[in-house]
Every structure is written in structure tokens, then in C-alpha cells.
Amino acid sequence: MLFNSVDFAIFLPIVFILYWFATGKNLKLQNILLLISSYFFYASWDYRFLFLLIFSTLLDFYTGIRIYIAKTILAKRIWLWLSIGVNLGFLGIFKYYNFFANSFVDGLAHLGMHASPWTLNVILPIGISFYTFHGLSYVIDIYKDKIVPTKNFVEYSVFVSFFPLLVAGPIERATHLLPQVQKERQFEYSKAVDGLRQILWGAFKKIVIADNCAKYVNMVFDNPSDYSGSTLALGALFFAFQIYCDFSGYSDIALGTARLFGIELLQNFAFPYFSRDIAEFWRRWHISLSSWFRDYLYIPLGGSQGNVWLKIRNTFIIFLASGFWHGANWTFIIWGAINSLYFLPLLVLNKNRTNLKIVAQGRYWPSVKEFLAIMATFCMTTFAWIFFRADSISQAKIYLSILFSTSLLTPPKLHGETLATIILVIIFIVIEWSGREQQYAFKRMGFKWPRLLRLVMYYSIILSILYFSGAEQQFIYFQF
Amino acid sequence: MNRFAKTVSIFMLPIFIMGIFVEFSLRIIPNDYLYKKKYLDKNSENIEVLFLGSSHAYYGINPIYIHENSFNASYISQTLDYDYRIIEKYEGRWERLRYIVIPISYFSLFSKLGETSEAWRIKNYNIYFGLKSSLDISDYFEVLSNKPEINIKRIESFYLLGEENITTSELGWGTNFNSQNGFNDDGEVAAKRHTKNLDGSFFKENINTLQALIKYAGKKGVKIIFYTPPAFHTYVENLDRKKIDQTINTMTQLDEYYQNVVYINFLADDLFTETDFYNADHLNEFGAEKLTRRIGDLLIDSR
């Protein structure tokens, strides 16, 4: 059940009405309803993997309690590593096994030895990377005495499986979400309206911007050798907007949906394409994942403490792990490595925390310096996205060799639809820029306008969503 | 809470009204599915030869060349499961039916309408044929199953330009693959397109459908003629040899096993030349006449 599907448009109002009206606002009943709805939502993808989700939930719920009540450090460690081992084991089998098997055989082939890979014919359970990280953060936080485990299985299960975040995040923390699940929720008109606005904006980003960009992107990435360098450059540019609008659009719908149920999720994006350096970009892009890696991998490794080489090593590890988290393909690892290379100079020169404030705060326009810094950062990320989008390293190489050829100076392949997409992207950038001081760009848009004009704006957005909808397009991050 | 529900309901009302209006406007546009359904509703008791299948039958079989009372109930992208559903729908009404004729094309045993890019056509069977063939609610509404720009074009062409969208002859043959448009040799592209998702995951299911169809026909004393339709050499040469061999072998086995089954392979038949084709895998009116007459002869032979 995709967020941009008719099924979800029916499912959400039903759950919403039951949640606020049929449960008598009883917390236990509301949580049970959320859990049943979330399992139904998940089972609608593939009911077989529901058992894996329930097993993973049970495991972390149980090990969390065992860690807490264990008398010795050794016992705590054993339970912690059992949870980590089983969770990462599942992730390894379903997501990475075939990659390791094939890479091992390829490696042997380079050494002149030949073997056939023993691969598994398995489908990747949707959302496994997300709910695994939910569970891991929970047990690690208990181990570090940051939280006390809940003894209520329903509450814990809602934390892991809450349907808005179940399949593509944001990756929540028990410290943030679990207290909300345990606390009585009151319906607030303004929050519910804000939730709907965020859902509307997320749907616009996904259906109007991302899916339109996707047409051109798919065309050029499917056969890069058929196109000129300029066409490939435009394809890479469109992909930068596709991936952003696709994923942040999903996050907006997730955050807006959760708000309808009185729950606040972590902000996942904060206008990353207005970043002035790559460090700022990574504080604004997929925030819940970046902060997860920071807290559960980077800091335990020593973080930015220690000598320069240790910092460099830790940065490399976190970026490679982040790349690898996205998928079992060398392209993602290279993408992570490129980003670490962008990041390292800032780290070494101690300039990775220079741009902490919102760009051009309180001003309409950025300064020339800020503008150039934004453009440079955007170009760097767009270059790295080519590896992220390519099917293989060899395809990325072909793409780059044509991109950086003389054909870059020829006019790109354009047709009516492409021009329309360019106009839509420009409109989108303007809205994003004007709303960059808010949680999401559309949050306060039109607040000071006359009521009629505001209605025209809402209906225009809805009609544009309806116009460009049709064949449902998967969200890119579902594959991770 | 009540304020929220009221505001959202009032806000959404114009969208719902517009949706209902568009749905209604689309449903009253005459279309081939509705025509075929109405024809079968009225004449299924008298039909002796029923043609089913995909576009290869829709454009390739013109029932006016058949002596018996016959009708072509095939349509573009119609897969075996929908052929069977149409037969089932008129259960008890096939009083004079003697032959069911179904094309087994290169992709027939490997595809299902619901799993192809043509899945949007399912709504036509649900809305116009009255089949309840899907659990997806989108498949029961025009506005939910097509892209809005397509719906707008349909409304524009019917209501503003006065264009009819009927491409079916009185007996169900597809009339718009005409020789006047010349021959489009798209063999390689068409073969690749048809090979793209031919992974075998529906093979078993399709064989089960065929067997159910054969058994159903057997009980009624109806013969089933399966044929692999003719195609231009550029198409045939680019097919996956393993898949086409698997199809031919399977159909030959069914022919040998069941008494009420006849299978004939026209795929590379010399009788069909370039002038008979509209494109590499579809016949034009001349090719349709040839193929229909050949099948007519086969019906006489198999009596």
C-alpha cells in the first residue's frame, strides 16, 4: 500500500475515524488500533514478511528487558550482542548475502580462480533496514542506560511498526517516539490541519516533481550511451530533484500522517540543497539516518576525538556504512566514499560546523558568496548521485565519460514534457526557498493571503497532483 | 474534532463532485468492451464459434469469413485468464457453442493481464463486462485506473470533437489495423518488448487455466482450437527460442492428450507475406481474411 495509492486514501481516513471516534480516546485501544492498522498496512505488501517483523519486535522487546535486569556487565553484553547479531544477521541474509557471495566470486576471478556463487533466491522484505535500526537503537539505548525498557509489548510494537514510518522512516528513537506512544493523545485542530498540509506538500513533491523528473531520468540512465553530455547533465540534475522530492515527499507524508494521530516524528530533511558545504548538507539530508550513524557508530568509534588519522578513519567508516546501508551494490559504496572525500577536508580543517544557521536567515536573497557556495555544494552532490542512481560502476563510468566530453556543450535533448518539468522544478525551488525557515516549505505558505486566494492555491496543488497521478510510482527508498 | 471533520468534508466536496462527474462522463462514452458485452448478452445462445484472445486474434480474425454463427470476443492484451472469465460469465447460455478458438502467442503462456503494463485495462472488464476480476478498488473506476490526461483526452475527443472510439466490427473484429497505413516492420522492438517480462512465473497458472478451459469445453462437447498466430520473420527471428519451443511443445502435448483439443502453429507459415501484415506481429485485413479462412477450413476438418 503506497502512500500515493487509492488504497491508502481509503485506509487512512478509516483508521483516523476509528482512532478518534471508536476508541473513546482510550490510550490502550488507540495503541491496539495503531498496531493492527500497522500490521495490516505492512501485510498489504507481503504478508509473509509480517512474521519477520513480529519476530524482530519480540526479540528486541525481550532482549531489552533482559539487558535491563541483567546483574552483570557481561550478561548485559551477551543480550545486547544477541540482539545486534540476530538483527544484523537477518539484514545480512536478506539484503547483503547475494552481494557478498557474488563479490567473493568476482574477487576470486581476479586472482585467476573460478567458482560459482551460491546465491539465495530471496526478496528483500520491505522496510527491513528501517525497522532493524529502530530495534537496534532501542536495545543500545537500554544498554547505555539512556532509557528504561517498556514492559508493554503493544506500546513497543507501535514504536517499531507505526505505519507512517514503517517502510521508509524516519528512523525513530525510543527516547523520542516511545514516550509519545505511552502518553494520552489529545486531538488538536491546528496540528491536524498542519498534518494535512504536510501530506499535501509531500504528495506534490512526490507525484508532481519526482515522478515527472523520473521520466527523463529513466530515459537517460537506461541508455546513457545514446545521449549527449548535456542531456546526461540534465538527467543527473533531474535525478537530484527526483531523489530529494521522492524521499522527502515520503517523509512529509509520514510526518503529516503521524501528526493526524497526535504523534510527532523526527524531521528528516531540512532543505539540504540550500547547504553551503557538504557538512551542512549531511546535517540536512536524511537527518534520522545521519544522526543514527553518528550516535551508534561514529561516537562509539571515537567520533572526532583523537588524532587526525582516527577522525579520518571514523569519517570513512560512517560514510561507507551509510552508502552500504542504502543497498548491496558497489555503486552505493562509491557514493558513500565520494561523500567522505568531500567531507574530509572540512573535518581536517575544522570547518565542518561553520554553517549551522539557515542560509540568508531573515533575508530574501543569499549573498553572492552564499549563492556560489550553495551551487558548488549542489554540483558536488549531483555528481555523487550519478553513482547512486547507476545500476553498476561500469554504467556510471560510461555516464561520466560522456558527461565530461565535448557533447556537454551541445544543446540537451528537450521535448514539451521536459520543458514543463523544468518549469515545475523552478516553481518548486522558489517555494522551497521562501519556506526554508519552516519545518517544511509549505508550512506557512499563504497564511497571510486572502481566504479565496488560499483556496485557489490548495485546489491548484490538488488538481496538479490529480493530473499527474495515475500509474502509482514506487518510492525510491522502499528498496532500501 | 467535529470542526476538523466538517472543514475537511466541505473542502473535499468539490473534488468528489468533480470525480463523480468525470467518472459518469467517461462511462457513457461508447467503447469496444461495452459493445462486445452487449453482443454476447443478446447473442450468446446462438454463437457456434467463439474467438477469444489478445490483439493477435482481435485484428487477425474476421468472423464474416466463417460459415458458422461466430463472434470475436478477443481484445487487445486479453490474456488466458480473461478468456476463461468471459466463458464463465455466460455459463449456461452457450447453447449452440461448438468451437472455442484461442491464439497461443509467444507470450500467452507467460503473462497475465494484471501483471503487465496493460493492467489498467482490467477496469474495462469489471465496469463494462461486469466481471469481478480484481480486489483492487482502482480497477472498478475509470478515474482511478487511467492517467487523468488520458481521461481528459477521451472526454475531449468524444464530447467536443464528436469522435467515436469504436474500433470493432459488428462481429467483433478489430478494424483499425488497415493496409492503407502500410507495413511497419517493428519486429525486433516488438519481440524484445514481448520478451522483457517473460520470466515463467505465470506459466503454471496459465496451464491450469487452459486445462480448466479444456475440461469445461469437454463437458459441453465443445472443441477447442488453439493456434499460434502468424508473424513476420523479423519478429520470429528475435524471439527467445527456448520460450517459443516451450510454448509449442506444451501445446502439442495438450493436443495429443485431450481429444477435444486441436493445435496448429502458423508462426512462420509461408502463406502470410509482407502484404498481409500491419506490423511484425499483427495482421491487416488481408492477413485476417487468410487466417480466418484457414481456421474455417480447420473447423470443417475437425468435425
Side-chain angles (χ1 to χ4, degrees):
Chain A
M1 196 190 300
L2 295 166
F3 278 174
N4 52 336
S5 69
V6 176
D7 297 345
F8 188 72
I10 295 167
F11 169 82
L12 181 59
I14 291 173
V15 179
F16 178 81
I17 290 165
L18 290 174
Y19 183 83
W20 290 113
F21 289 104
T23 57
K25 293 179 190 170
N26 177 299
L27 182 65
K28 276 185 184 170
L29 289 178
Q30 282 182 329
N31 282 340
I32 289 169
L33 177 73
L34 283 185
L35 184 61
I36 293 169
S37 313
S38 300
Y39 282 169
F40 176 80
F41 178 82
Y42 193 75
S44 72
W45 302 98
D46 194 328
Y47 70 90
R48 291 168 299 177
F49 294 129
L50 185 59
F51 300 107
L52 190 65
L53 171 65
I54 293 171
F55 176 78
S56 170
T57 310
L58 273 168
L59 173 83
D60 295 330
F61 176 72
Y62 181 70
T63 49
I65 292 170
R66 298 302 305 198
I67 291 168
Y68 186 70
I69 59 171
K71 301 274 186 247
T72 62
I73 288 289
L74 181 68
K76 281 179 190 285
R77 272 193 193 154
I78 288 171
W79 285 109
L80 173 73
W81 282 104
L82 175 74
S83 171
I84 293 175
V86 175
N87 273 306
L88 294 184
F90 277 134
L91 201 57
I93 291 168
F94 283 102
K95 192 165 176 175
Y96 299 109
Y97 175 79
N98 286 349
F99 169 77
F100 282 123
N102 287 320
S103 298
F104 179 67
V105 170
D106 288 347
L108 285 181
H110 281 295
L111 297 172
M113 292 181 268
H114 294 281
S116 301
W118 192 73
T119 53
L120 298 173
N121 187 19
V122 288
I123 314 165
L124 181 67
I126 194 151
I128 190 168
S129 306
F130 292 92
Y131 68 69
T132 300
F133 273 36
H134 280 159
L136 285 178
S137 75
Y138 176 74
V139 289
I140 295 170
D141 282 352
I142 293 170
Y143 176 79
K144 289 185 168 180
D145 288 331
K146 282 185 182 172
I147 52 166
V148 174
T150 174
K151 288 179 181 164
N152 185 324
F153 182 68
V154 174
E155 285 173 358
Y156 177 71
S157 304
V158 171
F159 156 69
V160 176
S161 325
F162 185 38
F163 71 87
L165 55 78
L166 179 55
V167 291
I171 300 167
E172 271 293 340
R173 305 294 182 82
T175 45
H176 180 251
L177 182 57
L178 202 51
Q180 295 187 70
V181 176
Q182 291 166 329
K183 203 176 73 181
E184 250 182 46
R185 272 99 58 182
Q186 293 297 324
F187 181 81
E188 282 181 52
Y189 178 82
S190 57
K191 278 192 175 178
V193 171
D194 189 46
L196 286 183
R197 284 171 70 91
Q198 195 161 4
I199 291 172
L200 188 66
W201 183 238
F204 177 83
K205 279 159 79 171
K206 163 65 183 160
I207 295 166
V208 180
I209 308 295
D211 291 353
N212 271 306
C213 288
K215 291 174 197 165
Y216 199 87
V217 171
N218 293 342
M219 179 187 85
V220 297
F221 274 91
D222 283 352
N223 296 298
S225 41
D226 291 353
Y227 301 100
S228 66
S230 55
T231 304
L232 298 192
L234 187 60
L237 187 80
F238 275 152
F239 182 67
F241 284 100
Q242 186 201 346
I243 184 108
Y244 172 56
C245 290
D246 191 285
F247 191 25
S248 71
Y250 179 91
S251 295
D252 280 333
I253 299 173
L255 266 75
T257 304
R259 200 167 292 136
L260 289 176
F261 296 93
I263 291 173
E264 287 294 327
L265 299 181
L266 290 168
Q267 187 181 3
N268 220 10
F269 290 87
F271 311 97
Y273 287 155
F274 299 141
S275 303
R276 288 149 290 183
D277 60 49
I278 213 74
E280 187 185 8
F281 176 84
W282 279 106
R283 282 193 297 275
R284 294 176 174 276
W285 179 275
H286 202 174
I287 300 164
S288 64
L289 179 72
S290 311
S291 59
W292 197 99
F293 276 118
R294 181 196 64 209
D295 294 346
Y296 299 107
L297 187 62
Y298 186 66
I299 291 172
L301 284 170
S304 54
Q305 308 297 315
N307 61 37
V308 175
W309 293 111
L310 213 59
K311 282 184 193 175
I312 292 173
R313 184 203 69 175
N314 294 346
T315 305
F316 253 118
I317 289 173
I318 192 174
F319 274 106
L320 292 184
S322 172
F324 201 45
W325 177 90
H326 282 86
N329 193 332
W330 285 103
T331 51
F332 295 115
I333 297 171
I334 299 286
W335 170 76
I338 291 170
N339 274 288
S340 71
L341 292 175
Y342 290 162
F343 188 85
L344 281 172
L346 296 171
L347 184 78
V348 172
L349 298 170
N350 235 344
K351 292 199 168 181
N352 57 318
R353 297 189 66 79
T354 335
N355 296 308
L356 295 175
K357 285 186 180 171
I358 295 163
V359 62
Q361 199 163 10
R363 286 180 280 136
Y364 279 115
W365 304 103
S367 65
V368 175
K369 190 185 164 196
E370 283 170 338
F371 178 74
L372 291 175
I374 289 170
M375 292 309 291
T377 310
F378 179 73
C379 289
M380 285 160 75
T381 40
T382 302
F383 175 81
W385 286 133
I386 293 171
F387 286 90
F388 191 96
R389 174 59 179 81
D391 293 333
S392 61
I393 299 287
S394 53
Q395 199 208 27
K397 275 187 197 165
I398 293 167
Y399 201 98
L400 291 172
S401 65
I402 301 168
L403 178 65
F404 294 112
S405 67
T406 49
S407 64
L408 182 63
L409 304 171
T410 60
K413 187 178 178 175
L414 295 174
H415 37 77
E417 265 193 3
T418 320
L419 292 172
T421 308
I422 292 171
I423 293 166
L424 285 169
V425 168
I426 292 169
I427 293 170
F428 169 73
I429 294 169
V430 171
I431 297 173
E432 284 273 292
W433 178 260
S434 63
R436 71 193 182 284
E437 294 184 22
Q438 307 298 329
Q439 191 198 18
Y440 60 97
F442 194 57
K443 192 173 176 72
R444 299 191 65 79
M445 195 173 158
F447 265 31
K448 290 178 183 170
W449 298 0
R451 188 183 159 81
L452 185 67
L453 196 61
R454 215 164 58 235
L455 277 177
V456 170
M457 176 188 76
Y458 284 132
Y459 283 122
S460 304
I461 289 178
I462 291 174
L463 288 177
S464 66
I465 289 169
L466 291 175
Y467 184 78
F468 288 110
S469 62
E472 295 156 10
Q473 297 291 326
Q474 270 276 19
F475 286 87
I476 295 175
Y477 264 68
F478 281 13
Q479 63 188 295
F480 307 138
Chain B
M1 184 66 217
N2 289 339
R3 185 181 157 210
F4 179 76
K6 198 175 148 191
T7 310
V8 173
S9 305
I10 292 169
F11 182 80
M12 291 307 289
L13 196 61
I15 305 283
F16 278 118
I17 291 171
M18 191 184 76
I20 291 166
F21 177 75
V22 173
E23 178 74 25
F24 185 72
S25 306
L26 288 167
R27 283 190 184 210
I28 55 177
I29 297 174
N31 62 64
D32 295 329
Y33 292 94
L34 192 59
Y35 173 79
K36 292 199 174 197
K37 196 250 182 189
K38 281 184 178 169
Y39 187 95
L40 289 173
D41 283 351
K42 201 173 165 188
N43 301 295
S44 52
E45 286 88 350
N46 300 317
I47 292 170
E48 292 170 274
V49 184
L50 180 70
F51 294 95
L52 292 162
S54 65
S55 57
H56 290 166
Y58 182 56
Y59 297 111
I61 300 289
N62 187 350
I64 59 165
Y65 301 113
I66 301 284
H67 296 296
E68 290 86 350
N69 194 347
S70 55
F71 184 69
N72 185 343
S74 66
Y75 205 67
I76 302 160
S77 300
Q78 189 166 296
T79 46
L80 292 169
D81 48 331
Y82 279 86
D83 290 340
Y84 188 49
R85 283 190 173 104
I86 290 171
I87 298 267
E88 268 187 322
K89 176 162 173 71
Y90 293 93
E91 164 74 42
R93 293 180 59 183
W94 303 113
E95 291 171 12
R96 295 180 62 196
L97 189 65
R98 289 158 62 199
Y99 299 99
I100 297 171
V101 185
I102 299 179
I104 301 296
S105 305
Y106 168 59
F107 49 79
S108 299
L109 299 184
F110 304 94
S111 53
K112 268 184 81 181
L113 180 57
E115 308 300 327
T116 67
S117 58
E118 299 283 297
W120 60 270
R121 291 182 188 276
I122 290 174
K123 54 102 182 169
N124 294 317
Y125 293 95
N126 294 336
I127 299 171
Y128 304 110
F129 252 101
L131 302 177
K132 290 180 179 62
S133 65
S134 147
L135 291 172
D136 188 343
I137 194 158
S138 307
D139 293 334
Y140 292 83
F141 293 95
E142 285 276 9
V143 287
L144 299 180
S145 46
N146 259 340
K147 281 184 88 68
E149 55 182 304
I150 294 170
N151 288 336
I152 291 167
K153 271 182 196 160
R154 284 177 63 199
I155 287 173
E156 189 189 344
S157 86
F158 182 72
Y159 291 102
L160 298 179
L161 305 173
E163 289 169 358
E164 284 276 346
N165 293 310
I166 297 286
T167 62
T168 295
S169 74
E170 195 188 343
L171 295 178
W173 171 59
T175 56
N176 54 336
F177 275 14
N178 207 293
S179 60
Q180 284 172 352
N181 298 321
F183 170 62
N184 173 24
D185 186 6
D186 60 347
E188 195 180 340
V189 177
K192 277 185 183 168
R193 189 176 66 242
H194 290 157
T195 304
K196 206 175 174 186
N197 296 316
L198 242 54
D199 60 0
S201 32
F202 303 114
F203 183 79
K204 206 174 167 190
E205 204 178 327
N206 281 324
I207 296 299
N208 290 340
T209 306
L210 280 185
Q211 285 179 325
L213 197 66
I214 294 165
K215 284 174 189 165
Y216 173 87
K219 276 184 205 164
K220 307 271 176 189
V222 173
K223 275 205 161 180
I224 301 200
I225 315 282
F226 292 116
Y227 65 98
T228 297
F232 197 60
H233 70 89
T234 53
Y235 177 79
V236 179
E237 284 157 9
N238 284 291
L239 299 177
D240 179 339
R241 211 54 248 175
K242 275 186 186 169
K243 294 281 187 241
I244 194 67
D245 287 347
Q246 192 181 356
T247 297
I248 294 166
N249 292 339
T250 307
M251 295 317 296
T252 308
Q253 282 171 21
L254 289 175
D255 180 348
E256 286 165 1
Y257 190 79
Y258 293 101
Q259 279 194 334
N260 65 326
V261 170
V262 173
Y263 170 66
I264 183 154
N265 180 7
F266 294 115
L267 187 64
D269 197 311
D270 293 341
L271 184 73
F272 299 91
T273 59
E274 189 175 321
T275 52
D276 296 317
F277 288 98
Y278 172 81
N279 60 23
D281 66 319
H282 292 101
L283 296 167
N284 60 21
E285 71 274 26
F286 301 122
E289 181 180 346
K290 273 188 191 173
L291 178 64
T292 315
R293 287 191 190 282
R294 283 291 303 272
I295 288 176
D297 294 343
L298 207 69
L299 299 181
I300 296 166
D301 294 346
S302 66
R303 270 176 200 161

